[in-house]
Amino acid sequence: MASPNHNKLLCVLVLVVSCMLAVAPMATAARCSGIVCDLHGIVDGVITTAGNVVNGIIGGKNEPQKIKGTVVLTKKNFLDFNALASSAMDNVYELLGQKVTLQLISADTADPANGNGGKLGKAASLEKTWNPTSLLTSLLASDSTYGVSFEWDEGFGTPGAIIVRNNQASEFYLKTITLEDVPGAGRIHFVCNSWIYPDNQYKKPRIFFSNKLYLPHEMPAPLRKYRQEELEVLRGDGKTQLKTGDRVYDYATYNDLGNPDSNPGLARPILGGSVEHPYPRRGRTSRPPSRS
């Protein structure tokens, strides 16, 4: 069975032949009547146009389009001295072009080179012009709205997730990301509500999924890899000591109520963890146990 492209090519060739057959009698009449006509130019124009159409069908590439988005975030409060210093450094990074970057992940197109995970788009930076008068306002803990433009083509499909990288010196609170006029999907909204720490503190980059809900068996295949990786990050390994910025939701027994290292009389029994009394539990920190 012929492919759709071959069928289209055949139609174009038929069109060219028909035009040439239609032009031939006109050429004869023009010669007989002495009318000067550049019919050869007309034929050449028809053939050139048809060739351009064939090129677009067979070998032409889709021009990348732009998807516009809006990012709403909050920086740390200016009353935090450390945040004040790092925010000043952030403005230097912005001048150097080292900003917050976002990268689309396709929910439709898998990439074999990426473990059959969703195809990654080109990283895009936040769009906001820095100027000296904005230095003070940038230190205030109020919402800041940024624009972002992503390159997109038909082969990418519908975005289902976004990777966010923070290359600044301090964390910020990411509220929402909204994509506008996505072909075939309209508006896509990402509810984030999460602190984004500098990227070098993460083993895996921060990723956010769109607010479209799926049952487990309905999850698009290109997104499953990223969902699994995110779940592994949240579970943790049960051993590594947790630090600021970690998002592990794990539990431990209350085994740190006493201080037997300084005084044996300050030893306290462990609460929870037994068959009879599995609770209470506390959030796991993996701090080292006492020496005694």
Side-chain angles (χ1 to χ4, degrees):
M1 180 179 293
S3 67
N5 282 345
H6 290 166
N7 291 336
K8 292 179 181 178
L9 175 59
L10 181 59
C11 292
V12 172
L13 293 177
V14 171
L15 174 63
V16 172
V17 173
S18 299
C19 291
M20 295 178 67
L21 293 176
V23 167
M26 295 171 59
T28 302
R31 286 195 299 269
C32 294
S33 61
I35 300 174
V36 180
C37 297
D38 190 10
L39 295 179
H40 290 289
I42 296 175
V43 173
D44 290 342
V46 171
I47 295 176
T48 301
T49 302
N52 292 337
V53 173
V54 173
N55 242 355
I57 294 174
I58 296 180
K61 295 183 179 179
N62 293 327
E63 289 295 327
Q65 303 177 31
K66 290 288 186 179
I67 292 180
K68 298 288 186 179
T70 302
V71 179
V72 179
L73 57 85
T74 302
K75 289 190 175 183
K76 291 186 68 175
N77 194 293
F78 76 103
L79 294 177
D80 185 339
F81 178 78
N82 293 327
L84 180 64
S86 59
S87 293
M89 181 63 70
D90 290 343
N91 287 293
V92 175
Y93 274 99
E94 288 180 2
L95 286 175
L96 297 176
Q98 301 176 8
K99 311 178 187 180
V100 177
T101 61
L102 298 90
Q103 197 171 11
L104 295 179
I105 300 177
S106 174
D108 297 332
T109 305
D111 183 4
N114 190 29
N116 286 325
K119 182 179 179 181
L120 297 177
K122 185 178 180 180
S125 300
L126 296 182
E127 300 171 353
K128 189 170 185 180
T129 304
W130 181 90
N131 59 75
T133 60
S134 67
L135 177 59
L136 179 60
T137 56
S138 67
L139 301 180
L140 300 177
S142 58
D143 290 353
S144 299
T145 301
Y146 294 81
V148 63
S149 297
F150 299 98
E151 289 189 4
W152 179 92
D153 58 52
E154 292 182 1
F156 187 84
T158 302
I162 291 182
I163 291 176
V164 180
R165 295 183 183 275
N166 178 12
N167 298 315
Q168 300 186 106
S170 66
E171 66 270 27
F172 61 87
Y173 189 77
L174 180 61
K175 290 190 171 183
T176 61
I177 303 172
T178 305
L179 305 180
E180 304 288 352
D181 300 324
V182 179
R187 172 180 288 188
I188 299 179
H189 197 55
F190 298 80
V191 179
C192 306
N193 291 330
S194 180
W195 285 100
I196 309 297
Y197 286 81
D199 196 58
N200 56 14
Q201 295 188 24
Y202 296 118
K203 294 181 180 179
K204 294 282 187 180
R206 292 301 310 273
I207 183 171
F208 296 93
F209 298 88
S210 68
N211 64 340
K212 184 175 181 179
L213 301 179
Y214 301 97
L215 293 174
H217 68 279
E218 295 176 343
M219 171 67 60
L223 296 181
R224 291 175 185 170
K225 170 181 178 290
Y226 299 99
R227 280 288 191 184
Q228 182 62 32
E229 291 178 352
E230 180 74 356
L231 183 59
E232 291 173 358
V233 168
L234 296 178
R235 285 174 174 170
D237 58 9
K239 301 176 182 179
T240 306
Q241 184 171 344
L242 303 180
K243 300 178 181 179
T244 302
D246 288 331
R247 298 177 297 120
V248 176
Y249 295 89
D250 198 2
Y251 296 94
T253 58
Y254 276 93
N255 58 357
D256 60 348
L257 299 178
N259 188 13
D261 289 340
S262 61
N263 186 342
L266 296 179
R268 296 292 183 273
I270 296 176
L271 298 182
S274 65
V275 177
E276 297 83 4
H277 304 287
Y279 301 100
R281 298 188 299 178
R282 64 177 175 86
R284 182 178 70 81
T285 62
S286 292
R287 293 191 298 270
S290 59
R291 296 187 300 273
S292 58

